[in-house]
Each structure stands twice: as C-alpha cells, then as structure tokens.
Amino acid sequence: MLDFIYYPVSGVLWLWHTAFASILGAASGLAWVLAIIFLVMTLRALLLRPFLAQVRFQRGLVKMQPQVREIQRKYKGDRERQAAEIAKLQKEHGVNVLLGCLPIVAQSLVFIGLFHVLRSFQNADTANYVFSPDQVQSFLQAKLFGAPLAETLGTAGDAFGSVAAVAIPLMIIAAIATHFTARFSIARQQETAVAPNPQVNLMNKLSLWVFPAGVLVAGAVLPVAILLYFVTQNAWTYVQQHLVYRHLDAREAEPVP
C-alpha cells in the first residue's frame, strides 16, 4: 500500500549500506549503523530548503498576527469571509501553508518507511524490498556495542543486558534532544510572538514534556536501529535550528544599503 515510500527509503538505505560495506565488510554492524545515520542526513539535506520555507512561514505568521486579529474583529461572525481574507493576507505575505508542513510530513513518512523496512528484516532466506537475502542476514546479525540492531528491550531475551546498555542511553539522548529542541523553538516564539495563544501554550507544554516522555516510553518497544534513527534525527534538528536561526538573525541585522 505504501510501497511508494518503502522502496525509496529502502533504496537510499541500500546505497549507503553498500557503500560502507565495501569499506568495512558486508558483515560489519558499523556499516548498518552508518547507513541509518546517513539515511537521516540524506533526508534532512534534501529537506533543507523546505525547512527554510517553514521558518519563513512561521515568521510570516508572526508578522501577520495583528492583521489577522483585525480581520477576525472586522468580520466577526462571518467565518467564510474571515477565511477568504486570511488566505488573501497569506498570499500577500508569501506564506505557503503546504510548504510550512512539508518537512514534518516528509519526516513522518520516512520514519514510517524506515520502521516498516527494518521490521521486515525477518527471514534470512527472503529478500526485503531492494535488499538481497544475504543483506537481510547481515542486518539480522548486525550489532552496536554488542546489541543486535533488530532487537527491542521487549524481545531481547538473553541479550537483554547488552540491548539495555545501548537502548536506554539512546532513549535518554533522544528524549533530551527532543526537549531542548522544543525549548529552543519556544524561546524563539517568545522573542517574536505578539500575544500569547492558549492553543500554542498547550502545544508548547506537550512538546517540552509529553513528547520527550513519549520517546522514552516508545523506546521500550522500538528496535535499536530505530532508536539510532531517532537520536540522529533529533540531534540534526537541534543543530540545524541553531545554525539556521543564527544565519537568519545575522542577515536581518545587516544594515540595508
């Protein structure tokens, strides 16, 4: 049903694993670890322009707030006219809702694709999308510091100790990165927001505390390979936010010739 996601994700993962396996060896667990990390980096590099569009979208919304409130006051009780005027205002400010949502949608689809592909590494005698049976067997045997990449805390069995020693730190790192990424975003909102919004405040609290807690809870049932994906994804997001906003702030601070 979602093969249009599974095959591209599998293909990019295959390319990186093939590249690293040619250097480290086909049986190397590190080759799979690096393949997963570089899959995330490939996706995020491709989404850099949409991410910049998302930032501009958010800043555009902030600048539009006074005008949006005026439209809501002027056309109170006429939701259809409000929607039309706000859409017109968004067009004037170059605010594109679809571009603003694209990075989140794309990241979600890639996560679904990677989760499905990795969970489909089941039988060493059966191919998995673009991966041959030999590569399936290689993944099933791959380990990170002694923890099988395909195992979860709940399915580790005799390997629970080695899986826990890797999975729990990855869960904690991912949760911390999620928290501080949200904290940075909220700090940016407070610098630019015109007025507090109850819905935004609720989402901020969820982002700060509930989502990181969710990472910890979900980590107990996710394979080590997916936890590695989460850590890479969240670390990239944290660093990217700081670098992009620092660059944009520097550009806005430049004197107009």
Side-chain angles (χ1 to χ4, degrees):
M1 182 179 179
L2 295 177
D3 283 351
F4 71 97
I5 299 172
Y6 302 149
Y7 274 99
V9 169
S10 180
V12 174
L13 185 64
W14 179 89
L15 286 173
W16 283 118
H17 176 257
T18 300
F20 288 116
S22 67
I23 300 171
L24 302 171
S28 171
L30 181 59
W32 283 104
V33 170
L34 292 174
I36 294 169
I37 292 173
F38 275 77
L39 168 68
V40 178
M41 294 173 65
T42 301
L43 166 69
R44 298 307 300 269
L46 292 174
L47 288 176
L48 181 58
R49 289 180 67 87
F51 174 77
L52 294 174
Q54 183 185 39
V55 172
R56 296 189 185 98
F57 167 77
Q58 292 170 342
R59 291 191 169 195
L61 289 180
V62 170
K63 293 179 180 179
M64 286 165 44
Q65 280 187 15
Q67 294 165 283
V68 168
R69 286 200 299 272
E70 176 60 23
I71 290 172
Q72 292 171 337
R73 183 199 63 79
K74 186 176 180 180
Y75 301 106
K76 185 177 181 180
D78 188 348
R79 293 188 177 275
E80 185 174 337
R81 184 64 183 274
Q82 285 183 20
E85 291 296 324
I86 290 174
K88 180 180 177 182
L89 184 64
Q90 290 175 341
K91 186 176 181 180
E92 292 174 356
H93 283 263
V95 172
N96 189 317
V97 177
L98 292 178
L99 284 178
C101 298
L102 179 60
I104 296 175
V105 173
Q107 290 168 43
S108 300
L109 291 176
V110 169
F111 170 74
I112 292 171
L114 180 62
F115 182 78
H116 177 81
V117 169
L118 293 182
R119 291 303 297 266
S120 298
F121 282 99
Q122 296 288 340
N123 191 334
D125 298 324
T126 305
N128 180 28
Y129 293 98
V130 302
F131 291 99
S132 67
D134 289 342
Q135 290 172 311
V136 172
Q137 184 176 9
S138 171
F139 176 79
L140 293 175
Q141 295 175 346
K143 295 181 179 180
L144 173 62
F145 300 121
L149 293 178
E151 295 294 346
T152 71
L153 285 172
T155 62
D158 294 339
F160 180 83
S162 59
V163 172
V166 174
I168 292 176
L170 289 177
M171 291 159 54
I172 293 173
I173 292 171
I176 291 173
T178 301
H179 173 81
F180 279 100
T181 298
R183 184 176 290 276
F184 179 81
S185 297
I186 292 169
R188 298 293 308 188
Q189 290 175 13
Q190 292 173 344
E191 290 175 5
T192 56
V194 177
N197 185 314
Q199 295 178 335
V200 171
N201 289 338
L202 175 61
M203 284 304 302
N204 287 345
K205 290 179 181 178
L206 291 175
S207 300
L208 274 175
W209 306 110
V210 177
F211 294 166
V215 172
L216 291 175
V217 173
V221 297
L222 293 177
V224 172
I226 293 293
L227 293 176
L228 183 63
Y229 167 87
F230 265 129
V231 169
T232 307
Q233 172 88 347
N234 293 348
W236 178 288
T237 301
Y238 181 77
V239 173
Q240 179 178 263
Q241 278 188 335
H242 282 74
L243 293 179
V244 167
Y245 279 107
R246 184 182 300 173
H247 173 71
L248 293 176
D249 289 344
R251 289 191 59 179
E252 290 184 356
E254 292 177 356
V256 179

